[in-house]
Amino acid sequence: MSRHLIALLSISLTLGLVACQSPEEPESGKKAAVAAAPLTAPASADDKLWKPYLQSVIQQNMAGVTDRVYPYYLPADSKKIDADGRSAYDRQSENVTSVISRTVLPGNMLAFGSPDSAKMGDLILSAFSGAKPDALKGSQVLFIGKPEDSDRVKAVVEAAGGKYIFVEAK
């Protein structure tokens, strides 16, 4: 996947989240509708099914977010090498590592999800490995994945000062 596609994906997910936060909608009705919808992870690794699922999970876990949400998604075949000689995993890892090294402002959320929970967990561990203890102070990290990957992700997020939120992809 090229850098342009990854950038467009990130922008489209962010714009989709911003569009869902329209001030014209009554807050209580919107929250009740979102909370009432049960979420089930797609059975397949199809990106077209996973992206809307992840957006819905993010919407249901926005409590405490006062600024922006930065969604990070890995396709199931994220290790596949593209024409530039890099993989989606490599590109996303580089992006997240860069963000963590610059620190994340309070009120922001980093949201991570993938059909391959273990691989996304690996990416988070790698990207957060050199984080300063206050790199995520006042911010949140949402990890959508499998319980067996949660504890290791939680440890590095909390070591960087972030609030950890886990949602099981089931």
Side-chain angles (χ1 to χ4, degrees):
M1 191 181 293
S2 73
R3 287 184 181 175
H4 297 293
L5 288 176
I6 293 172
L8 288 174
L9 171 63
S10 295
I11 291 169
S12 66
L13 285 172
T14 302
L15 290 176
L17 291 172
V18 171
C20 291
Q21 297 174 349
S22 172
E24 291 83 27
E25 293 182 42
E27 284 296 313
S28 61
K30 181 174 71 172
K31 286 181 183 174
V34 171
L39 297 175
T40 304
S44 73
D46 186 350
D47 291 342
K48 292 178 185 173
L49 300 174
W50 270 88
K51 290 173 188 174
Y53 165 72
L54 294 173
Q55 285 180 323
S56 297
V57 173
I58 291 168
Q59 282 299 307
Q60 288 189 2
N61 291 278
M62 295 284 293
V65 177
T66 58
D67 202 355
R68 296 182 181 202
V69 174
Y70 296 92
Y72 295 97
Y73 175 75
L74 277 180
D77 64 348
S78 64
K79 287 290 192 174
K80 181 178 173 186
I81 304 298
D82 64 17
D84 294 336
R86 300 191 58 207
S87 68
Y89 179 92
D90 294 334
R91 293 178 196 287
Q92 201 67 295
S93 180
E94 184 179 300
N95 289 339
V96 177
T97 301
S98 176
V99 167
I100 300 304
S101 70
R102 292 190 311 260
T103 71
V104 178
L105 294 175
N108 287 306
M109 174 189 274
L110 305 179
F112 297 90
S114 173
D116 189 341
S117 176
K119 196 161 287 168
M120 182 56 91
D122 293 344
L123 183 143
I124 295 168
L125 262 60
S126 172
F128 282 59
S129 65
K132 297 175 187 170
D134 62 347
L136 298 170
K137 184 178 180 180
S139 62
Q140 303 177 60
V141 174
L142 171 64
F143 176 58
I144 305 156
K146 294 185 179 177
E148 55 267 24
D149 300 312
S150 179
D151 286 342
R152 65 192 182 117
V153 171
K154 180 179 182 179
V156 296
V157 169
E158 290 179 347
K163 177 184 175 189
Y164 179 71
I165 303 166
F166 173 70
V167 174
E168 182 178 0
K170 55 181 176 176

